[in-house]
Amino acid sequence: MTLEPASAADFLRSKRLQISGNWTEWEPAAHARGFTVANVTKLDVLADIQAELARAQQDGLTFEQFKDRLIPQLTKKGWFAADGQAVRVPEPGAAPDPQTGELPTRKRLTARRLDTIFRVNAQSSYMAARYRELMADVDNRPWFEYVAVMDSKTRPAHRALHGRVFRYDDRAVQVFWPPCGWRCRCRMRARDDEDLRERGITPESTAGRIKTETVTLKDGTTRQIHRYDAPDGQVFRTDPGFGTNPGQLQAVDKLALAKAPLVLGQVKSEAQMRRILTAKARMDHLGQFVRTAREARASRGLNASVGALDEAAALKLADEGVAFDATEPIVLPDALVGGTKSARHAAAGDALALEDWANVPRVLAFGAAWWDSVNASLVYTAEAAAPRGDLRLVRLVVRADDSAGNRVQSAQLVTEQALRDLTTPPRRVVGSAQYQPVRQAIDETKAAGDEPATR
């Protein structure tokens, strides 16, 4: 697919290891940022699988080569079941159930499962990297065409999408980006306006035609899938567990942040990153992330990518002698949403509502930015999505660090007076902080253009 294997391998390596039970425990969007294998409950085993998948991507290895490298490692650790061996075995050192006397078991991996793991991850990582490459040239080739293999193995639903063309910002690109199901071999290719004219192609819009349906799985659990009723009457449905664009959801990883300015130039890359960071699919996923974090009331050690340092912030950090990595995304820790600091803000009456936690990417992308010279932090301010009385602004404090990464350190609601205090005069002491302007607020309605509009 004319894609450098390194790009796909980097996508795999950038995923954080996560232990899970049944695959239905994870929302599809979570797979974009986390790497898991159902029922594999040892991080070192997960790390072995992830490393070998990335190596296979990097070196262009076949499944047989991947299997030959991985199986000895799994066998040594007791996690591989050869033909004729029991797939489920007792968990070493585990105590029996006090009620039944049964020992807990673990589910070992088979060659068949390794085949599925290899093919799904290979296709997903290639297509995630493919998305980033196509988006880098979206100003010249803004139309994306869905391409199925169209052989005897192509399922009817995927055949129904073959040849359909959508604009890069159509919702189809968010929910129908391959793979759309187990062993899906479909892909996307970019078209320009001349391609459409020469081939007589009429693009489609999915506006109002994509619906969410609930399906029941074999184990009795339910999952949501996406259904598209095309203008010609054909119907497409995603498989349960699919229906997201991993490349879009993970587009602010180190690879994208490092390469975007080189491909697009600084101004265009920042505009593109703002579009990606505030895309509906990402915002929807963040909404689920913050709801889960609030309900958990305790950290699971998870972070959500919510922003990126733009040139103005990076220059200010450099001027202040702060060691930072501009290719690291700004992350929101789950502990901040549901932990003790959130509880303290709640007690003080200035805690963010879930709507504002879910709106953090817009605050970072379009809000005004300041430098807190006392606490050596960046501060972002923007109008609250859920204001309360005089508390009408969101204030985010971001600490940039080359070792700990760039992360939101605190978040609270403040008054309109706080913004006036910050803007007149240019340098103002607010409480224990002295703020200096770094970037004016960006007009979101004009931000799709090449030149950022400030206000």
Side-chain angles (χ1 to χ4, degrees), residues 244-268:
T244 61
N245 181 338
Q248 185 180 62
L249 292 171
Q250 205 204 43
V252 289
D253 62 12
K254 291 175 68 70
L255 180 68
L257 289 174
K259 288 189 175 181
L262 302 178
V263 176
L264 300 175
Q266 190 64 42
V267 173
K268 282 188 176 182

Side-chain angles (χ1 to χ4, degrees), residues 131 133-145 164-177 188-191 193 196 203-206 245 248 271-276 279-280 447-450:
Y131 172 78
E133 295 213 344
L134 295 188
M135 287 300 293
D137 192 37
V138 76
D139 289 340
N140 299 314
R141 300 167 69 82
W143 306 101
F144 292 170
E145 179 182 2
R164 298 185 187 273
V165 175
F166 308 93
R167 205 177 117 93
Y168 72 91
D169 54 0
D170 189 281
R171 193 166 177 228
V173 176
Q174 299 174 9
V175 298
F176 299 148
W177 193 265
M188 287 278 195
R189 64 180 167 212
R191 296 286 193 186
D193 292 335
L196 301 193
E204 293 182 19
S205 170
T206 62
N245 181 338
Q248 185 180 62
Q272 178 61 25
M273 294 310 297
R274 284 192 293 269
R275 284 201 295 265
I276 291 173
K280 185 180 184 302
D450 292 342

Side-chain angles (χ1 to χ4, degrees), residues 25-358:
E25 292 180 5
W26 269 38
E27 289 299 317
H31 286 280
R33 300 185 184 91
F35 179 82
T36 190
V37 175
N39 298 305
V40 173
T41 56
K42 300 293 183 182
L43 283 177
D44 62 324
V45 177
L46 272 182
D48 289 341
I49 299 171
Q50 183 187 40
E52 289 304 328
L53 282 169
R55 185 193 299 273
Q57 296 282 283
Q58 180 82 44
D59 299 340
L61 304 182
T62 65
F63 168 66
E64 292 299 325
Q65 292 170 312
F66 161 78
K67 183 178 65 172
D68 290 345
R69 289 184 59 89
L70 181 59
I71 286 178
Q73 300 176 55
L74 297 177
T75 301
K76 184 178 180 180
K77 296 179 180 181
W79 277 87
F80 181 73
D83 290 343
Q85 291 183 338
V87 174
R88 284 200 172 275
V89 295
E91 191 70 45
D97 187 291
Q99 301 295 326
T100 66
E102 295 180 351
L103 284 171
T105 61
R106 68 161 185 255
K107 189 175 182 180
R108 298 191 296 180
L109 296 167
T110 63
R112 182 177 178 82
R113 279 200 67 201
L114 290 179
D115 181 63
T116 299
I117 292 167
F118 177 83
R119 299 188 188 285
V120 170
N121 279 279
Q123 175 73 340
S124 179
S125 58
Y126 269 122
M127 291 311 302
R130 179 71 169 164
Y131 172 78
R132 290 197 294 261
E133 295 213 344
L134 295 188
M135 287 300 293
D137 192 37
V138 76
D139 289 340
N140 299 314
R141 300 167 69 82
W143 306 101
F144 292 170
E145 179 182 2
Y146 192 96
V147 181
V149 177
M150 300 301 283
D151 60 13
S152 60
K153 297 180 181 179
T154 303
R155 62 201 83 179
H158 296 213
R159 188 180 295 271
L161 272 189
H162 176 72
R164 298 185 187 273
V165 175
F166 308 93
R167 205 177 117 93
Y168 72 91
D169 54 0
D170 189 281
R171 193 166 177 228
V173 176
Q174 299 174 9
V175 298
F176 299 148
W177 193 265
C180 295
W182 301 106
R183 295 181 176 267
C184 171
R185 299 167 295 155
C186 302
R187 60 188 177 92
M188 287 278 195
R189 64 180 167 212
R191 296 286 193 186
D192 59 21
D193 292 335
E194 187 175 350
D195 286 335
L196 301 193
R197 286 193 300 268
E198 289 181 352
R199 291 169 171 80
I201 297 174
T202 301
E204 293 182 19
S205 170
T206 62
R209 292 182 173 274
I210 295 180
K211 298 179 176 61
T212 300
E213 295 181 343
T214 300
V215 297
T216 302
L217 306 180
K218 291 180 180 179
D219 62 2
T221 61
T222 60
R223 294 299 292 267
Q224 290 188 329
I225 64 171
H226 297 294
R227 166 180 171 153
Y228 172 48
D229 293 295
D232 60 6
Q234 296 194 72
V235 176
F236 174 80
R237 291 180 177 87
T238 58
D239 280 6
F242 294 83
T244 61
N245 181 338
Q248 185 180 62
L249 292 171
Q250 205 204 43
V252 289
D253 62 12
K254 291 175 68 70
L255 180 68
L257 289 174
K259 288 189 175 181
L262 302 178
V263 176
L264 300 175
Q266 190 64 42
V267 173
K268 282 188 176 182
S269 71
E270 288 184 8
Q272 178 61 25
M273 294 310 297
R274 284 192 293 269
R275 284 201 295 265
I276 291 173
L277 287 161
T278 58
K280 185 180 184 302
R282 288 185 59 89
M283 300 292 280
D284 289 348
H285 175 61
L286 182 62
Q288 180 62 44
F289 175 87
V290 299
R291 285 192 296 273
T292 301
R294 177 63 59 83
E295 291 170 1
R297 294 292 179 185
S299 175
R300 295 178 296 160
L302 302 178
N303 297 313
S305 297
V306 291
L309 296 174
D310 63 5
E311 186 177 33
L315 289 175
K316 184 60 181 176
L317 292 171
D319 288 344
E320 297 295 333
V322 177
F324 67 98
D325 185 349
T327 67
E328 286 283 356
I330 299 173
V331 299
L332 175 65
D334 64 347
L336 197 58
V337 181
T340 55
K341 187 171 286 190
S342 177
R344 286 201 300 271
H345 283 301
D350 59 8
L352 298 189
L354 287 180
E355 295 94 326
D356 280 306
W357 283 116

